Amino acid sequence: MKKSYYLFNPGKLSRKDSTLKFTPVDADGVVGNSRYLPIEGIKNLYVFGSLDANSALYNFLGRHHVPVHFFDYHEHYSGSFMPKEFLLAGKMQVAQTEYYLSDTRRLTLARLILLGAAHNMRKNLCYYQNRGKDLGDLIESFDRYQAEIVAMLAPDRSGSLVAALMGLEGNLRQTYYQAFDRIMPNSGFEFTTRSRRPPQNELNALISFGNMMAYTASLDQIYHTQLNPTISFLHEPGARRYSLALDLAEIFKPLLVDRLIFKLVNKRQIQAQDFDRSLRGFLLKEKARKVFVQEWDQRLRETIKHRVLNKQVSYGYLIRLECYKLAKHCLEIERYQPFKAWW
Amino acid sequence: MYVILVYDVSEKRVAKMLKLCRRYLNWIQNSVLEGELTQSGLRAMESEIKELIDPSTDSVIMFKSRDSRWLEKRIWGIEKGLTDVFL
């Protein structure tokens, strides 16, 4: 399986002998030992530090279909270098757009996506309920919300329904976030309320960072399918963002991001001193960021036995399978069933 | 598939061999590389190597393992090349 590479240290990346060469250069301009990265084994690059590169390199990366994701000093996702689409399929594009344009069809998909997300969030709550946290009331309200989502398929009330669905999503998340303080008691972290741009406390900084990783992971997988990443169903397709990646991330965030956060905090791998309190909000320090990304990488590579395919499948690949299912739904080959964690 | 590749080729081809292998694997020591490969990647590399070498004088040895976890790696002295994905 191809690997993701994470570039934390400043340096220069260049094309050399038809492969990649990374030369670390620190702030004082001291050049370290270069390392060659095998181009055939690279899935994508995540750039957290400052990077020197030229267009020859990007041409080369583009030819090998290697996307590069950039993050700014404040750990915000700043954008990606996406190689030219190579799996073009007009038929798929048209089908996907058709599904977006028809209110009822779009609603069906949006509803299913949200149901998948809700199910996975509920799974998390149940997991911790079984481990002695008192979350019964939250699980109950989750059941109510899920019933509400299921009931939302009234064909005559189209139009604003997707917006209503997004509203439900908001309620769902709010209930869900109430569980955070109970799952991670005495951790030194308090959730209080969700805040973004910038996150106003440590936990919010972790969530933002994790969500961003989920977003880029989804984007990577969409790139390897024929779906168009800008046409989404649950989120409103806007300008300048890959909103289909947001849809997909929604389903996998509880499983990938939240569980990782609970683990890192409860095992004290990340603590209060791992954050910088800058003028505007909180951010993860370099060391904690590495811990997070390392664990994240491991989690994406972790495999489970897939029930339908009957073989070992990594968490990362689950996202790809989700794309295939969406594509099949749009092409009317098979009805979409959202991924629901079964363990 | 986790692979360790060792080569001993004529001086004329040493540089070419290194360049070729570095595209697929991580360099860890002179004439030694290791890394993860897919089936197709492995086949592509194999055919390129066969093109390059002269079977009457050169020697290339490959150790294959299903996964790096079935491999215990010990190092004495300096570790020359790293294989991890965090730079």
Side-chain angles (χ1 to χ4, degrees):
Chain A
M1 196 160 55
K2 292 193 172 185
K3 287 177 180 161
S4 304
Y5 281 77
Y6 303 88
L7 281 65
F8 287 101
N9 296 313
K12 188 175 179 305
L13 193 65
S14 52
R15 175 190 175 168
K16 183 86 210 287
D17 303 332
S18 284
T19 190
L20 300 184
K21 181 176 151 189
F22 180 74
T23 317
V25 182
D26 70 8
D28 308 322
V30 182
V31 178
N33 282 340
S34 7
R35 224 185 102 181
Y36 287 85
L37 313 177
I39 183 73
E40 302 287 343
I42 299 182
K43 188 163 68 187
N44 48 33
L45 298 169
Y46 285 81
V47 180
F48 292 97
S50 74
L51 182 75
D52 262 2
N54 56 19
S55 56
L57 173 83
Y58 286 108
N59 286 332
F60 180 65
L61 287 175
R63 249 208 336 279
H64 283 88
H65 306 304
V66 177
V68 188
H69 303 299
F70 296 97
F71 302 88
D72 68 11
Y73 172 78
H74 295 281
E75 294 145 11
H76 293 129
Y77 173 66
S78 39
S80 301
F81 161 72
M82 285 310 255
K84 177 175 75 87
E85 290 277 332
F86 70 112
L87 293 168
L88 296 170
K91 194 178 162 196
M92 182 70 244
Q93 187 106 324
V94 170
Q96 196 184 344
T97 317
E98 257 174 13
Y99 260 80
Y100 166 71
L101 286 175
S102 151
D103 281 330
T104 44
R105 285 176 178 185
R106 178 180 171 197
L107 187 70
T108 321
L109 265 183
R111 206 177 54 119
L112 284 169
I113 291 171
L114 190 56
L115 270 181
H119 177 272
N120 293 335
M121 283 191 264
R122 190 175 176 278
K123 264 273 136 81
N124 274 357
L125 298 183
C126 290
Y127 176 88
Y128 283 98
Q129 168 89 349
N130 288 338
R131 271 158 188 71
K133 317 276 182 196
D134 180 27
L135 302 168
D137 53 327
L138 298 181
I139 295 176
E140 266 171 39
S141 37
F142 249 79
D143 291 336
R144 270 203 310 282
Y145 284 129
Q146 273 170 312
E148 230 175 293
I149 302 170
V150 175
M152 288 243 332
L153 198 68
D156 50 316
R157 281 177 53 210
S158 56
S160 66
L161 268 181
V162 176
L165 212 54
M166 272 314 271
L168 258 178
E169 192 254 358
N171 298 343
L172 215 58
R173 286 254 152 210
Q174 211 153 32
T175 316
Y176 180 59
Y177 284 136
Q178 283 173 27
F180 276 48
D181 282 336
R182 298 193 218 167
I183 291 172
M184 300 176 286
N186 327 317
S187 58
F189 292 138
E190 251 188 26
F191 181 74
T192 52
T193 165
R194 178 84 178 108
S195 51
R196 308 176 296 148
R197 304 191 215 177
Q200 289 305 331
N201 65 28
E202 293 92 342
L203 210 49
N204 274 297
L206 272 180
I207 296 172
S208 290
F209 189 75
N211 287 350
M212 182 182 73
M213 295 303 283
Y215 171 75
T216 45
S218 310
L219 183 56
D220 274 332
Q221 297 298 341
I222 296 171
Y223 176 70
H224 288 283
T225 69
Q226 299 180 329
L227 292 169
N228 185 320
T230 55
I231 302 171
S232 56
F233 304 102
L234 178 60
H235 293 81
E236 196 57 49
R240 294 178 217 98
R241 59 178 194 168
Y242 296 116
S243 39
L244 187 61
L246 294 174
D247 279 6
L248 281 176
E250 203 64 52
I251 301 174
F252 290 96
K253 271 180 332 197
L255 186 71
L256 298 174
V257 182
D258 303 337
R259 286 293 285 274
L260 191 62
I261 293 175
F262 299 149
K263 180 188 166 197
L264 290 173
V265 173
N266 278 338
K267 291 197 170 173
R268 305 203 178 274
Q269 280 168 283
I270 288 183
Q271 298 183 19
Q273 66 263 27
D274 289 324
F275 293 84
D276 253 338
R277 216 236 125 117
S278 68
L279 267 178
R280 307 175 60 234
F282 282 75
L283 35 118
L284 277 147
K285 281 187 194 162
E286 167 100 17
K287 199 192 99 224
R289 214 183 326 163
K290 268 188 189 166
V291 171
F292 193 103
V293 172
Q294 229 152 37
E295 292 281 340
W296 169 261
D297 192 59
Q298 221 167 46
R299 172 133 316 193
L300 280 191
R301 279 197 241 172
E302 212 171 282
T303 57
I304 50 156
K305 178 104 174 175
H306 196 283
R307 279 182 174 177
V308 180
L309 300 178
N310 199 26
K311 64 173 186 180
Q312 293 293 122
V313 166
S314 72
Y315 282 120
Y317 198 71
L318 276 178
I319 307 179
R320 171 92 63 94
L321 292 175
E322 209 61 14
C323 299
Y324 290 153
K325 281 192 276 178
L326 274 177
K328 276 191 168 176
H329 183 92
C330 292
L331 293 169
E332 281 166 357
I333 298 169
E334 198 181 305
R335 201 179 130 80
Y336 173 69
Q337 281 300 329
F339 166 77
K340 291 181 175 173
W342 56 78
W343 57 91
Chain B
M1 186 94 44
Y2 204 75
V3 166
I4 301 170
L5 188 94
V6 208
Y7 60 82
D8 186 350
V9 297
S10 151
E11 219 175 300
K12 269 193 289 186
R13 285 180 288 274
V14 167
K16 275 187 185 160
M17 190 69 190
L18 178 64
K19 285 178 190 175
L20 190 170
C21 296
R22 266 201 304 231
R23 283 174 26 225
Y24 295 94
L25 301 167
N26 291 297
W27 177 89
I28 46 169
Q29 218 171 61
N30 293 342
S31 317
V32 186
L33 296 99
E34 71 172 71
E36 181 87 34
L37 275 181
T38 56
Q39 287 280 6
S40 56
L42 185 71
R43 230 176 285 160
M45 187 178 73
E46 274 175 357
S47 67
E48 277 196 67
I49 290 176
K50 281 188 199 145
E51 281 283 300
L52 179 69
I53 60 168
D54 174 357
S56 59
T57 55
D58 301 342
S59 156
V60 180
I61 303 171
M62 181 191 285
F63 301 89
K64 285 199 289 190
S65 166
R66 279 236 306 278
D67 194 293
S68 61
R69 124 182 77 167
W70 309 121
L71 192 80
E72 193 188 319
K73 186 173 162 186
R74 288 191 199 171
I75 298 158
W76 289 269
I78 21 169
E79 187 170 13
K80 286 191 164 180
L82 300 167
T83 55
D84 68 335
V85 296
F86 302 96
L87 299 171

